[in-house]
Amino acid sequence: EFQHRWYVIGFSEEKGKVITYALDRVSIIEITEDTFTVETGFNPSNFFKYSFGITESKTSPDNIVLKFELNQLGYLKTKPLHQSQIIEEFDNYFLLTLHIVPSFEFYEKLLSFGSRVQVVSPENVKTNLVQKITDSLANYQ
């Protein structure tokens, strides 16, 4: 379950890998005589260890440092963004570090914080977020 939507993880013969399917997008279920073998040692916690949301990636995770206004501290302590989250508090702000692979869901979450968050590092995440904000602003010009 992620953001009130249920998913099923399964092996796609077509793609040759384990992928995530949204259950509400399944339109037809067909019972067949086909059999399958569950991958031994598959562990969903490990599969999504560095994921933010439901997007899994074989890319190496980054340490992403975010700077927040202090008024977000209570919220992010009680509702962590990710299990890797580390918070460092300062007088007028706090830094939140995540060890993840940036994904569509991650950028959507950052955008939801608006001006209350700033990407400190790495530079590629900062650049990607700025591009998304620029693209969004272009809709209003």
Side-chain angles (χ1 to χ4, degrees):
E1 185 270 338
F2 179 71
Q3 292 187 347
H4 309 293
R5 179 179 260 176
W6 287 92
Y7 297 87
V8 64
I9 302 167
F11 183 81
S12 168
E13 288 185 2
E14 181 181 306
K15 295 184 180 184
K17 65 179 186 173
V18 175
I19 61 174
T20 306
Y21 299 93
L23 283 179
D24 64 336
R25 293 187 182 169
V26 173
S27 56
I28 298 173
I29 295 176
E30 180 182 334
I31 298 174
T32 69
E33 297 297 321
D34 296 344
T35 61
F36 67 95
T37 304
V38 176
E39 186 178 319
T40 57
F42 179 78
N43 182 320
S45 295
N46 288 339
F47 185 73
F48 289 108
K49 184 175 183 175
Y50 302 114
S51 298
F52 189 96
I54 56 117
T55 305
E56 181 273 336
S57 174
K58 297 292 182 208
T59 308
S60 295
D62 283 323
N63 280 325
I64 300 171
V65 181
L66 307 172
K67 181 179 178 182
F68 282 92
E69 295 178 356
L70 277 179
N71 63 3
Q72 297 297 301
L73 184 60
Y75 173 76
L76 290 167
K77 278 185 171 180
T78 59
K79 192 167 170 57
L81 295 180
H82 190 261
Q83 67 267 12
S84 67
Q85 174 173 304
I86 297 170
I87 294 176
E88 296 175 80
E89 296 179 44
F90 298 92
D91 288 339
N92 299 317
Y93 64 95
F94 68 97
L95 297 178
L96 187 143
T97 301
L98 303 171
H99 190 63
I100 62 168
V101 175
S103 63
F104 172 82
E105 294 93 350
F106 172 69
Y107 287 107
E108 291 293 305
K109 186 64 176 178
L110 284 185
L111 289 167
S112 76
F113 285 107
S115 63
R116 297 178 307 269
V117 66
Q118 176 187 356
V119 175
V120 176
S121 65
E123 197 62 36
N124 66 312
V125 173
K126 188 186 306 186
T127 300
N128 287 340
L129 185 62
V130 167
Q131 186 61 57
K132 291 176 185 311
I133 293 168
T134 301
D135 292 347
S136 182
L137 287 172
N139 289 331
Y140 298 96
Q141 295 179 11

